[in-house]
């Protein structure tokens, strides 16, 4: 499997893990009755960690919405080169480190992990057009 496909696996896997951790946290802090409700009100005991998890899920979802179509274009056009390779590596490392750094680490580490996606994406696009 190409590194570009591995990047799809990493992005979707981290999104799934983040959602699962968020759901478990909500079960523990807000209780099953809230989780099974319509959730018209905010979680009663979300706390800082719950808020960070919500933002991490949103960021992972937004990143996936950008990354997945780009990798699909590369696969459909059979465009693989050094740019798409290293951009995929940057995205894998960035996405895997982003959530734990966001939840438990200082903001500087989170921002460094996020930059793997932020800078890897235009490099990948460059590789699609000019690589």
């Amino acid at each position: 499997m190409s590194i570009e496909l591995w990047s799809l696996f990493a992005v979707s896997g981290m999104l799934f893990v983040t959602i699962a951790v968020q759901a478990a946290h909500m079960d523990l802090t807000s209780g099953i009755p809230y989780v099974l409700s319509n959730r018209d009100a905010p979680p009663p005991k979300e706390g800082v960690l719950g808020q960070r998890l919500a933002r991490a899920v949103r960021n992972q979802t937004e990143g996936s919405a950008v990354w997945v179509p780009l990798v699909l274009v590369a696969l459909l056009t059979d465009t693989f080169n050094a740019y798409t390779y290293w951009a995929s590596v940057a995205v894998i490392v960035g996405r895997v480190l982003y959530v734990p750094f966001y939840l438990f680490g200082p903001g500087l580490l989170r921002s460094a992990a996020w930059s793997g996606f932020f800078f890897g994406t235009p490099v990948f696009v460059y590789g699609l057009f000019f690589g």
Side-chain angles (χ1 to χ4, degrees), residues 18 22 46 49-59 103:
T18 308
Q22 180 190 33
E46 185 175 34
L49 186 60
Q51 293 170 2
R52 285 183 181 179
L53 279 163
R55 289 190 302 270
V57 166
R58 186 174 59 243
N59 184 275
L103 297 181

Side-chain angles (χ1 to χ4, degrees), residues 79-111:
T79 305
F80 304 103
N81 53 56
Y83 297 105
T84 62
Y85 180 91
W86 288 110
S88 296
V89 169
V91 168
I92 290 169
V93 172
R95 292 285 94 180
V96 168
L97 295 177
Y98 174 79
V99 173
F101 284 166
Y102 197 176
L103 297 181
F104 307 113
L108 183 60
L109 291 176
R110 182 209 74 225
S111 295

Side-chain angles (χ1 to χ4, degrees), residues 18-89:
T18 308
I19 291 169
V21 171
Q22 180 190 33
H25 180 267
M26 189 175 290
D27 286 348
L28 293 172
T29 59
S30 300
I32 300 298
Y34 175 77
V35 172
L36 297 176
S37 73
N38 290 334
R39 301 183 195 175
D40 291 333
K45 299 176 184 175
E46 185 175 34
V48 172
L49 186 60
Q51 293 170 2
R52 285 183 181 179
L53 279 163
R55 289 190 302 270
V57 166
R58 186 174 59 243
N59 184 275
Q60 295 281 59
T61 303
E62 292 166 351
S64 296
V66 172
W67 188 251
V68 170
L70 293 175
V71 174
L72 291 177
V73 167
L75 293 171
L76 291 172
T77 61
D78 200 29
T79 305
F80 304 103
N81 53 56
Y83 297 105
T84 62
Y85 180 91
W86 288 110
S88 296
V89 169

